[in-house]
Amino acid sequence: MNSQQARVGSGLYIMLFSVHGLLRGSDMELGRDADTGGQIQYVVELAKALSNHPRIRKVDLVTRLIRAKGVDDSYAQPFERLTEKAQIVRIPFGPRRYLRKENLWPHLFALVDGAIAYLRQSGETPDIIHGHYADGGNAGAHLAKILGVPYIFTGHSLGRVKRLRLSEKSRSLENLDKRFNFPGRIEAEETSLDTASLVVVSSHQEIEEQYALYDHYDSSRMRVIPPGLDLTRFRAPNAAEGWPQYFEELKKFLRHPEKPMVLAIARPDERKNLATLVRAFGEAEELREMANLAIVSGNRESLEKLDPQSRKVLRNLMVLIDRYDLY
Protein backbone atom coordinates (compact mmCIF):
# COMPACT_ATOMS: atom_id res chain seq x y z
CA MET A 1 0.00 0.00 0.00
CA ASN A 2 1.24 3.49 -0.74
CA SER A 3 0.71 6.40 1.65
CA GLN A 4 -2.33 7.65 -0.27
CA GLN A 5 -4.02 4.26 -0.05
CA ALA A 6 -3.18 3.79 3.62
CA ARG A 7 -4.92 6.96 4.81
CA VAL A 8 -8.45 7.73 3.69
CA GLY A 9 -10.19 10.71 5.24
CA SER A 10 -9.53 12.10 8.72
CA GLY A 11 -9.77 10.37 12.08
CA LEU A 12 -8.50 7.06 13.36
CA TYR A 13 -9.16 3.65 11.86
CA ILE A 14 -9.21 0.99 14.60
CA MET A 15 -9.16 -2.75 13.98
CA LEU A 16 -10.32 -5.07 16.76
CA PHE A 17 -9.65 -8.83 16.85
CA SER A 18 -11.99 -11.22 18.70
CA VAL A 19 -11.90 -14.53 16.89
CA HIS A 20 -13.62 -17.26 18.91
CA GLY A 21 -17.23 -17.82 19.83
CA LEU A 22 -20.36 -16.86 17.90
CA LEU A 23 -20.18 -13.12 17.41
CA ARG A 24 -22.84 -10.90 15.84
CA GLY A 25 -24.31 -7.46 16.34
CA SER A 26 -27.70 -8.37 17.83
CA ASP A 27 -29.57 -11.31 19.40
CA MET A 28 -26.35 -12.63 20.88
CA GLU A 29 -26.44 -16.33 21.76
CA LEU A 30 -24.82 -15.69 25.13
CA GLY A 31 -24.27 -18.84 27.13
CA ARG A 32 -24.62 -21.16 24.14
CA ASP A 33 -21.17 -22.51 25.01
CA ALA A 34 -18.11 -21.58 27.05
CA ASP A 35 -16.77 -19.42 24.18
CA THR A 36 -19.88 -17.30 23.69
CA GLY A 37 -19.92 -15.31 26.90
CA GLY A 38 -19.36 -11.81 28.21
CA GLN A 39 -16.29 -11.10 26.08
CA ILE A 40 -18.38 -11.38 22.91
CA GLN A 41 -20.84 -8.79 24.19
CA TYR A 42 -17.97 -6.60 25.40
CA VAL A 43 -16.18 -6.34 22.06
CA VAL A 44 -19.36 -5.62 20.10
CA GLU A 45 -20.33 -2.86 22.54
CA LEU A 46 -16.75 -1.55 22.42
CA ALA A 47 -16.83 -1.35 18.62
CA LYS A 48 -20.10 0.57 18.73
CA ALA A 49 -18.88 2.94 21.45
CA LEU A 50 -15.59 3.66 19.68
CA SER A 51 -17.43 4.47 16.46
CA ASN A 52 -19.36 7.20 18.28
CA HIS A 53 -16.16 9.07 19.16
CA PRO A 54 -15.64 12.12 16.93
CA ARG A 55 -11.91 11.37 16.44
CA ILE A 56 -12.60 7.88 15.08
CA ARG A 57 -13.70 7.44 11.47
CA LYS A 58 -13.84 3.65 11.16
CA VAL A 59 -13.93 0.53 13.34
CA ASP A 60 -13.54 -3.01 12.01
CA LEU A 61 -14.24 -5.89 14.39
CA VAL A 62 -12.50 -8.91 12.87
CA THR A 63 -13.77 -12.37 13.73
CA ARG A 64 -14.10 -15.80 12.14
CA LEU A 65 -16.52 -16.62 9.33
CA ILE A 66 -18.39 -19.85 10.14
CA ARG A 67 -20.47 -21.73 7.62
CA ALA A 68 -21.70 -24.93 9.21
CA LYS A 69 -24.75 -27.05 9.92
CA GLY A 70 -26.39 -26.13 13.21
CA VAL A 71 -24.95 -22.57 13.16
CA ASP A 72 -27.07 -19.62 12.06
CA ASP A 73 -26.42 -18.18 8.59
CA SER A 74 -25.67 -14.77 10.11
CA TYR A 75 -22.21 -16.04 11.10
CA ALA A 76 -21.43 -16.78 7.44
CA GLN A 77 -21.91 -13.17 6.26
CA PRO A 78 -18.54 -11.51 5.45
CA PHE A 79 -19.72 -8.10 6.66
CA GLU A 80 -22.26 -6.92 9.23
CA ARG A 81 -22.94 -3.23 9.81
CA LEU A 82 -23.03 -2.23 13.50
CA THR A 83 -23.18 1.56 13.18
CA GLU A 84 -22.49 4.09 10.47
CA LYS A 85 -18.75 3.83 11.22
CA ALA A 86 -18.41 0.29 12.64
CA GLN A 87 -18.77 -3.16 11.12
CA ILE A 88 -18.01 -6.81 11.80
CA VAL A 89 -15.58 -8.31 9.28
CA ARG A 90 -15.70 -12.12 9.13
CA ILE A 91 -12.66 -13.82 7.64
CA PRO A 92 -12.71 -17.55 6.83
CA PHE A 93 -9.81 -19.53 8.26
CA GLY A 94 -9.40 -23.13 9.30
CA PRO A 95 -12.20 -25.68 8.78
CA ARG A 96 -15.67 -24.47 7.80
CA ARG A 97 -17.21 -25.92 10.96
CA TYR A 98 -17.48 -24.17 14.30
CA LEU A 99 -14.45 -24.76 16.52
CA ARG A 100 -13.99 -24.12 20.21
CA LYS A 101 -11.13 -21.78 21.02
CA GLU A 102 -8.68 -24.52 22.05
CA ASN A 103 -8.80 -25.88 18.49
CA LEU A 104 -8.24 -22.56 16.73
CA TRP A 105 -4.54 -22.19 17.51
CA PRO A 106 -3.11 -24.01 14.44
CA HIS A 107 -5.12 -21.72 12.14
CA LEU A 108 -4.37 -18.25 13.52
CA PHE A 109 -1.65 -17.40 10.99
CA ALA A 110 -4.20 -18.06 8.24
CA LEU A 111 -6.33 -15.39 9.91
CA VAL A 112 -3.42 -12.93 9.71
CA ASP A 113 -3.04 -13.72 6.00
CA GLY A 114 -6.78 -13.19 5.51
CA ALA A 115 -6.68 -9.87 7.33
CA ILE A 116 -3.79 -8.68 5.13
CA ALA A 117 -5.74 -9.66 2.00
CA TYR A 118 -8.78 -7.75 3.29
CA LEU A 119 -6.69 -4.64 3.96
CA ARG A 120 -5.09 -4.80 0.53
CA GLN A 121 -8.52 -5.01 -1.04
CA SER A 122 -9.84 -2.09 1.02
CA GLY A 123 -6.72 0.00 0.34
CA GLU A 124 -6.41 1.07 3.98
CA THR A 125 -4.13 0.43 6.95
CA PRO A 126 -5.48 0.64 10.51
CA ASP A 127 -3.98 3.27 12.79
CA ILE A 128 -4.37 1.01 15.83
CA ILE A 129 -4.90 -2.74 16.29
CA HIS A 130 -6.56 -4.02 19.48
CA GLY A 131 -6.42 -7.76 20.21
CA HIS A 132 -8.82 -9.49 22.61
CA TYR A 133 -8.08 -12.69 24.51
CA ALA A 134 -4.97 -14.77 23.76
CA ASP A 135 -6.04 -15.91 20.29
CA GLY A 136 -7.20 -12.51 19.02
CA GLY A 137 -4.24 -11.00 20.83
CA ASN A 138 -1.79 -13.28 19.06
CA ALA A 139 -3.25 -12.57 15.60
CA GLY A 140 -3.46 -8.84 16.28
CA ALA A 141 0.10 -8.65 17.60
CA HIS A 142 1.54 -10.36 14.52
CA LEU A 143 -0.45 -8.14 12.16
CA ALA A 144 0.61 -5.01 14.06
CA LYS A 145 4.26 -6.02 13.71
CA ILE A 146 3.86 -6.64 9.98
CA LEU A 147 2.12 -3.28 9.42
CA GLY A 148 4.23 -1.32 11.91
CA VAL A 149 1.24 0.15 13.75
CA PRO A 150 0.58 0.56 17.51
CA TYR A 151 -0.95 -2.42 19.27
CA ILE A 152 -3.31 -2.68 22.27
CA PHE A 153 -4.02 -5.90 24.17
CA THR A 154 -6.88 -6.95 26.46
CA GLY A 155 -6.50 -10.46 27.87
CA HIS A 156 -9.96 -10.81 29.48
CA SER A 157 -8.69 -13.95 31.23
CA LEU A 158 -5.14 -15.27 31.42
CA GLY A 159 -3.69 -18.72 30.79
CA ARG A 160 -1.19 -18.71 33.65
CA VAL A 161 -3.94 -17.81 36.14
CA LYS A 162 -6.37 -20.42 34.81
CA ARG A 163 -3.65 -23.09 34.79
CA LEU A 164 -2.80 -22.37 38.43
CA ARG A 165 -6.44 -22.57 39.51
CA LEU A 166 -7.20 -25.74 37.60
CA SER A 167 -4.00 -27.40 38.81
CA GLU A 168 -5.36 -27.21 42.35
CA LYS A 169 -8.14 -29.64 41.33
CA SER A 170 -6.26 -31.82 38.85
CA ARG A 171 -3.66 -34.52 39.39
CA SER A 172 -2.17 -34.14 35.91
CA LEU A 173 -0.75 -30.89 34.53
CA GLU A 174 0.01 -32.78 31.33
CA ASN A 175 -3.68 -33.47 30.78
CA LEU A 176 -4.57 -29.85 31.52
CA ASP A 177 -1.97 -28.58 29.05
CA LYS A 178 -3.23 -30.96 26.38
CA ARG A 179 -6.87 -30.06 26.89
CA PHE A 180 -6.51 -26.28 27.12
CA ASN A 181 -3.27 -25.81 25.13
CA PHE A 182 -1.82 -23.76 27.99
CA PRO A 183 1.75 -23.69 26.60
CA GLY A 184 0.56 -22.18 23.31
CA ARG A 185 -1.87 -19.83 25.01
CA ILE A 186 0.70 -18.52 27.49
CA GLU A 187 3.26 -18.02 24.71
CA ALA A 188 0.64 -16.04 22.76
CA GLU A 189 -0.06 -13.88 25.81
CA GLU A 190 3.66 -13.24 26.26
CA THR A 191 3.87 -12.19 22.59
CA SER A 192 0.91 -9.84 23.04
CA LEU A 193 2.38 -8.28 26.18
CA ASP A 194 5.77 -7.86 24.50
CA THR A 195 4.20 -6.17 21.47
CA ALA A 196 1.60 -3.98 23.17
CA SER A 197 2.04 -0.26 23.65
CA LEU A 198 -0.97 -0.39 25.96
CA VAL A 199 -2.64 -3.18 27.94
CA VAL A 200 -6.24 -2.50 28.98
CA VAL A 201 -7.38 -4.23 32.19
CA SER A 202 -10.56 -4.16 34.26
CA SER A 203 -9.04 -3.82 37.73
CA HIS A 204 -5.83 -3.14 39.66
CA GLN A 205 -5.97 -6.75 40.89
CA GLU A 206 -5.30 -7.91 37.32
CA ILE A 207 -2.20 -5.72 37.13
CA GLU A 208 -0.81 -6.59 40.55
CA GLU A 209 -1.65 -10.30 40.84
CA GLN A 210 -2.39 -11.71 37.36
CA TYR A 211 -0.24 -9.99 34.74
CA ALA A 212 2.63 -9.91 37.24
CA LEU A 213 3.03 -13.66 36.59
CA TYR A 214 4.30 -12.98 33.05
CA ASP A 215 7.87 -12.48 31.81
CA HIS A 216 6.89 -9.41 29.74
CA TYR A 217 5.03 -7.76 32.60
CA ASP A 218 5.33 -3.96 32.57
CA SER A 219 2.79 -2.16 34.75
CA SER A 220 3.70 1.22 33.23
CA ARG A 221 1.97 0.15 30.01
CA MET A 222 -1.23 -0.98 31.76
CA ARG A 223 -4.36 1.09 32.30
CA VAL A 224 -7.51 0.22 34.24
CA ILE A 225 -10.69 0.83 32.22
CA PRO A 226 -13.59 -0.98 33.94
CA PRO A 227 -16.23 -2.44 31.60
CA GLY A 228 -18.99 0.09 31.04
CA LEU A 229 -22.75 -0.11 31.36
CA ASP A 230 -25.36 1.32 29.00
CA LEU A 231 -27.81 2.79 31.51
CA THR A 232 -30.33 3.60 28.75
CA ARG A 233 -31.05 -0.15 28.47
CA PHE A 234 -32.15 -0.55 32.11
CA ARG A 235 -35.16 1.00 33.80
CA ALA A 236 -38.09 0.04 35.97
CA PRO A 237 -41.33 -0.73 34.10
CA ASN A 238 -44.11 1.79 34.55
CA ALA A 239 -47.66 0.87 35.48
CA ALA A 240 -49.00 1.32 31.96
CA GLU A 241 -46.47 -1.09 30.48
CA GLY A 242 -46.99 -3.84 33.02
CA TRP A 243 -44.36 -6.52 33.55
CA PRO A 244 -42.09 -7.54 30.67
CA GLN A 245 -42.93 -10.73 28.78
CA TYR A 246 -39.98 -12.66 30.23
CA PHE A 247 -41.34 -12.07 33.75
CA GLU A 248 -44.66 -13.60 32.75
CA GLU A 249 -42.70 -16.69 31.67
CA LEU A 250 -40.75 -16.71 34.94
CA LYS A 251 -43.80 -16.31 37.18
CA LYS A 252 -45.01 -19.85 36.53
CA PHE A 253 -41.92 -21.16 38.36
CA LEU A 254 -42.48 -18.94 41.44
CA ARG A 255 -44.81 -19.70 44.31
CA HIS A 256 -44.81 -16.04 45.41
CA PRO A 257 -43.92 -13.94 42.34
CA GLU A 258 -44.63 -10.70 44.22
CA LYS A 259 -41.47 -11.12 46.33
CA PRO A 260 -38.26 -9.27 45.36
CA MET A 261 -35.75 -11.33 43.46
CA VAL A 262 -32.14 -12.39 43.88
CA LEU A 263 -31.11 -12.64 40.22
CA ALA A 264 -27.94 -14.21 38.80
CA ILE A 265 -27.10 -14.28 35.08
CA ALA A 266 -24.06 -16.32 34.06
CA ARG A 267 -23.17 -19.15 31.74
CA PRO A 268 -22.88 -22.60 33.38
CA ASP A 269 -19.21 -22.51 34.33
CA GLU A 270 -17.71 -23.61 37.65
CA ARG A 271 -15.82 -20.32 37.93
CA LYS A 272 -19.12 -18.40 38.08
CA ASN A 273 -19.72 -20.09 41.47
CA LEU A 274 -23.49 -20.49 41.02
CA ALA A 275 -23.52 -23.53 43.32
CA THR A 276 -22.30 -21.41 46.24
CA LEU A 277 -25.11 -18.92 45.57
CA VAL A 278 -27.70 -21.71 45.76
CA ARG A 279 -26.16 -23.06 48.98
CA ALA A 280 -26.11 -19.58 50.57
CA PHE A 281 -29.72 -18.92 49.60
CA GLY A 282 -30.85 -22.40 50.63
CA GLU A 283 -29.27 -22.10 54.08
CA ALA A 284 -30.51 -18.53 54.76
CA GLU A 285 -34.02 -19.11 56.10
CA GLU A 286 -34.76 -15.41 56.56
CA LEU A 287 -33.65 -14.61 53.00
CA ARG A 288 -35.80 -17.43 51.61
CA GLU A 289 -38.82 -15.90 53.35
CA MET A 290 -38.06 -12.45 51.95
CA ALA A 291 -37.07 -13.13 48.33
CA ASN A 292 -37.07 -15.43 45.33
CA LEU A 293 -33.92 -16.77 43.69
CA ALA A 294 -33.70 -16.83 39.88
CA ILE A 295 -30.68 -18.11 37.97
CA VAL A 296 -30.44 -17.57 34.22
CA SER A 297 -27.62 -19.79 33.03
CA GLY A 298 -27.07 -20.16 29.32
CA ASN A 299 -29.14 -21.64 26.51
CA ARG A 300 -29.97 -25.30 26.04
CA GLU A 301 -32.41 -27.67 24.39
CA SER A 302 -31.47 -30.55 26.68
CA LEU A 303 -28.78 -31.32 29.24
CA GLU A 304 -27.41 -34.14 27.12
CA LYS A 305 -26.55 -31.80 24.25
CA LEU A 306 -24.38 -29.54 26.42
CA ASP A 307 -20.63 -29.85 26.73
CA PRO A 308 -19.54 -31.98 29.73
CA GLN A 309 -18.53 -29.06 31.96
CA SER A 310 -21.78 -27.13 31.44
CA ARG A 311 -23.77 -30.31 31.96
CA LYS A 312 -21.96 -30.98 35.23
CA VAL A 313 -22.62 -27.45 36.54
CA LEU A 314 -26.35 -27.57 35.76
CA ARG A 315 -26.76 -31.03 37.23
CA ASN A 316 -25.07 -29.88 40.44
CA LEU A 317 -27.45 -26.93 40.62
CA MET A 318 -30.43 -29.25 40.26
CA VAL A 319 -29.12 -31.48 43.05
CA LEU A 320 -28.75 -28.45 45.34
CA ILE A 321 -32.21 -27.14 44.43
CA ASP A 322 -33.56 -30.55 45.42
CA ARG A 323 -31.52 -30.71 48.62
CA TYR A 324 -32.79 -27.34 49.86
CA ASP A 325 -36.31 -27.85 48.49
CA LEU A 326 -36.16 -24.69 46.40
CA TYR A 327 -38.64 -25.70 43.68
Side-chain angles (χ1 to χ4, degrees), residues 289-310:
E289 288 294 322
M290 293 170 51
N292 292 311
L293 171 64
I295 297 175
V296 181
S297 190
N299 303 293
R300 64 182 176 88
E301 293 179 5
S302 72
L303 278 178
E304 300 308 318
K305 292 183 179 181
L306 291 174
D307 65 87
Q309 289 301 311
S310 298

Side-chain angles (χ1 to χ4, degrees), residues 255-307:
R255 199 168 292 160
H256 300 286
E258 73 283 355
K259 289 182 179 181
M261 188 181 299
V262 177
L263 174 64
I265 303 176
R267 58 185 173 83
D269 185 302
E270 286 188 12
R271 292 172 297 169
K272 305 304 180 182
N273 217 9
L274 294 172
T276 298
L277 172 62
V278 175
R279 288 191 192 96
F281 185 86
E283 293 172 7
E285 191 171 332
E286 186 177 357
L287 181 58
R288 291 174 60 169
E289 288 294 322
M290 293 170 51
N292 292 311
L293 171 64
I295 297 175
V296 181
S297 190
N299 303 293
R300 64 182 176 88
E301 293 179 5
S302 72
L303 278 178
E304 300 308 318
K305 292 183 179 181
L306 291 174
D307 65 87

Side-chain angles (χ1 to χ4, degrees), residues 126-167:
D127 297 289
I128 298 169
I129 293 174
H130 187 171
H132 292 267
Y133 196 77
D135 45 21
N138 192 43
H142 280 92
L143 183 60
K145 287 179 178 179
I146 291 169
L147 299 178
V149 300
Y151 174 67
I152 300 172
F153 177 55
T154 301
H156 294 278
S157 69
L158 295 174
R160 284 195 192 277
V161 177
K162 184 173 182 178
R163 189 175 187 268
L164 280 172
R165 289 174 180 168
L166 290 179
S167 67

Side-chain angles (χ1 to χ4, degrees), residues 15-83:
M15 178 173 276
L16 309 174
F17 277 82
S18 182
V19 300
H20 68 255
L22 295 170
L23 191 155
R24 63 187 179 190
S26 60
D27 298 323
M28 306 282 272
E29 297 185 79
L30 298 177
R32 171 171 169 150
D33 59 22
D35 293 348
T36 308
Q39 178 193 322
I40 308 299
Q41 183 78 32
Y42 177 98
V43 293
V44 170
E45 296 294 335
L46 175 62
K48 292 176 180 178
L50 287 171
S51 72
N52 290 328
H53 197 286
R55 291 182 58 191
I56 293 175
R57 66 179 177 84
K58 180 178 179 179
V59 180
D60 279 342
L61 171 51
V62 176
T63 192
R64 181 169 178 250
L65 188 144
I66 302 163
R67 187 178 284 109
K69 189 176 181 180
V71 175
D72 192 81
D73 289 341
S74 59
Y75 304 112
Q77 304 307 312
F79 302 98
E80 180 183 346
R81 180 60 52 184
L82 296 175
T83 69

